[in-house]
Amino acid sequence: QVQLVESGGGLVQAGGSLRLSCAASGRTASMGWFRQAPGKEREFVAAIGWSAGNIFYADSAKGRFTISRDNAKNTVYLQMNSLKPEDTAVYYCAAGRNYGLGGQSLATPDKYAYWGQGTQVTVSS
């Protein structure tokens, strides 16, 4: 069983930046970020496969968010720039065991076996 611990959430003004981190207790294959705003369903944000070249973003994240990972530290990061009030949500880290995931499949929640507890991101206008 892999444990995921997120950090880096907080309150920021619109246009600001935050960097989320997610540390896994063991080695994982794909790692991703999802978010859930009040009254809405959980949605995909960004994900990265074992290979750093295998990255997929939601349209809402393209050009503003950057996902990266440090395999030596079993950690994934989400750099979020130009934040908007609509980015306000609880952000969840997820990790999967399938080394073959890529492209659109990285955006599928049921491809991930492990989930973190979430970290709150609030963007004020």
Side-chain angles (χ1 to χ4, degrees), residues 17-101:
S17 298
L18 282 174
R19 188 192 194 207
L20 304 183
S21 299
C22 172
S25 61
R27 176 171 164 161
T28 61
S30 54
M31 298 189 79
W33 291 94
F34 293 74
R35 68 186 183 186
Q36 187 166 19
K40 295 187 177 181
E41 294 187 353
R42 189 173 298 190
E43 65 175 5
F44 170 74
V45 177
I48 184 168
W50 177 254
S51 168
N54 188 8
I55 291 175
F56 191 73
Y57 292 102
D59 287 344
S60 60
K62 289 178 182 177
R64 299 189 301 127
F65 295 0
T66 302
I67 190 169
S68 61
R69 68 186 294 169
D70 184 337
N71 290 337
K73 296 181 179 179
N74 296 323
T75 299
V76 65
Y77 307 96
L78 185 68
Q79 177 67 44
M80 303 187 294
N81 299 329
S82 302
L83 283 162
K84 305 174 183 179
E86 51 263 44
D87 293 318
T88 295
V90 177
Y91 283 70
Y92 295 92
C93 176
R97 297 172 290 197
N98 187 339
Y99 287 86
L101 283 184

